[in-house]
Amino acid sequence: MFLGEFEYRIDEKGRLPLPPRFRPFFKSGVIVAPSPEKCLSVYTVSEWNKMAESLASGGLSPSKMRKIYRAIFATAFHTEFDAQGRIALPSTLRTYAGLGSDVVVAGANNYLELWDKASWIAEKEADLAEAWQILESLEKH
């Protein structure tokens, strides 16, 4: 389980360290993909495979499945840690997520999210307000 938020800097070559406590989970590699929220999602290979299997068994028509596969798999990248515990983030993904030099690595249970620091501050504030409302509605049922 990935918990917490951590601030890091992307270097001039587009490399970003991930928290040392999480690195052992990525021994098979790191999958980085764009997220609909304009951040990047970081998966272990096993978690990525679970997601792929879930999509394959989703019961979508072949044409819809092709669109989903293109949107998800064509834009994802497989990478590994360098000797300093950094991953290389392709410029296309950095541009998509609007990542500047200051990045927040946020735990999201079974994956990580990479946010531009200013975007993370705004997103976290909005999410916390909405999350409490969602939890309260769950308690009523």
Side-chain angles (χ1 to χ4, degrees):
M1 181 178 298
F2 299 116
L3 304 171
E5 61 183 82
F6 309 85
E7 292 184 25
Y8 288 101
R9 294 184 69 86
I10 293 178
D11 71 12
E12 65 282 346
K13 294 183 180 179
R15 297 174 300 195
L16 176 75
L18 291 182
R21 72 174 70 162
F22 297 149
R23 294 175 195 165
F25 295 100
F26 294 97
K27 287 181 182 173
S28 298
V30 181
I31 308 294
V32 183
S35 170
E37 288 85 10
K38 292 291 187 184
C39 67
L40 300 179
S41 298
V42 179
Y43 296 91
T44 63
V45 171
S46 63
E47 199 59 42
W48 181 258
N49 289 338
K50 286 181 200 174
M51 190 264 304
E53 290 171 15
S54 175
L55 282 174
S57 64
L60 294 174
S61 69
S63 63
K64 288 182 181 177
M65 190 60 70
R66 285 191 302 274
K67 289 184 184 302
I68 294 291
Y69 282 176
R70 286 182 204 124
I72 294 174
F73 297 102
T75 59
F77 288 85
H78 183 273
T79 187
E80 296 185 8
F81 289 102
D82 67 10
Q84 286 78 40
R86 301 171 299 192
I87 57 171
L89 296 174
S91 63
T92 54
L93 290 181
R94 292 193 318 267
T95 299
Y96 169 83
L99 297 181
S101 60
D102 295 322
V103 174
V104 173
V105 177
N109 189 18
N110 57 340
Y111 67 100
L112 298 170
E113 291 183 339
L114 307 180
W115 288 87
D116 175 74
K117 185 177 177 180
S119 297
W120 171 248
I121 291 168
E123 183 71 21
K124 183 171 74 168
E125 184 177 306
D127 286 351
L128 283 173
E130 192 172 337
W132 293 127
Q133 291 173 353
I134 293 168
L135 285 172
E136 284 183 6
S137 70
L138 290 174
E139 290 175 357
K140 294 177 185 176
H141 293 109

